Amino acid sequence: MGQAAILPGVHELLQSAREKGIQLAVASSSTRDWVHGYLQKLGIFDYFTVVHTSEDVKRVKPDPELYLLALQSLGIEASEAIVFEDSPNGLKAANAAGIRCIIVPNEVTRGLEFAMHELRLSSLAEIDMEAL
């Protein structure tokens, strides 16, 4: 991640969500310092209303606790949310929380099996915000 750049489609998706008044959250099993650091490094921290990390919950993914906390913090129901995930554990957590999940695997997880997802994309550049 030291050389990581923002992935294709991420900035456009975040900007589109902002223009539509959609609240965004991060629910990560990583530490707060790591998550905040990379969101700031990539210049996207301010797009998110809520950022929850491993330090905010007792159990991380595949347990749904992070997603349930994000829903509570945003004041929305699971039926009003969509999760973008790159890991099987994240997909399991989203499913357990009752949230629709779109899979966008990364280089490490691309070959892994993802069961029970809404949609699978190779990049966020493929997303059609109007279709969601």
Side-chain angles (χ1 to χ4, degrees):
M1 288 295 295
Q3 301 299 319
I6 197 160
L7 295 173
V10 171
H11 190 265
E12 293 81 3
L13 178 66
L14 295 174
Q15 189 61 36
S16 179
R18 177 179 277 171
E19 290 168 2
K20 293 176 182 349
I22 297 171
Q23 295 183 92
L24 300 174
V26 172
S28 176
S29 294
S30 296
T31 65
R32 181 174 292 110
D33 287 345
W34 191 91
V35 172
H36 282 225
Y38 278 101
L39 292 175
Q40 290 168 347
K41 178 179 179 178
L42 295 171
I44 59 175
F45 185 87
D46 291 337
Y47 282 97
F48 298 96
T49 305
V50 171
V51 178
H52 287 301
T53 66
S54 61
E55 295 161 47
D56 298 318
V57 294
K58 291 180 183 173
R59 295 171 304 278
V60 295
K61 301 171 191 174
D63 189 281
E65 188 175 2
L66 273 164
Y67 283 130
L68 296 173
L69 180 60
L71 291 172
Q72 179 182 4
S73 295
L74 292 173
I76 62 172
E77 300 294 323
S79 62
E80 300 174 284
I82 298 174
V83 166
F84 292 92
E85 259 300 342
D86 65 353
S87 76
N89 276 348
L91 172 60
K92 289 175 187 173
N95 286 338
I99 306 171
R100 297 185 314 163
C101 188
I102 297 174
I103 299 302
V104 188
N106 61 45
E107 292 299 320
V108 175
T109 62
R110 188 156 284 132
L112 299 178
E113 183 177 333
F114 291 87
M116 298 177 54
H117 56 274
E118 174 95 3
L119 179 66
R120 181 178 176 141
L121 305 171
S122 59
S123 164
L124 283 176
E126 298 174 16
I127 196 72
D128 177 4
M129 283 292 288
E130 303 305 319
L132 300 177

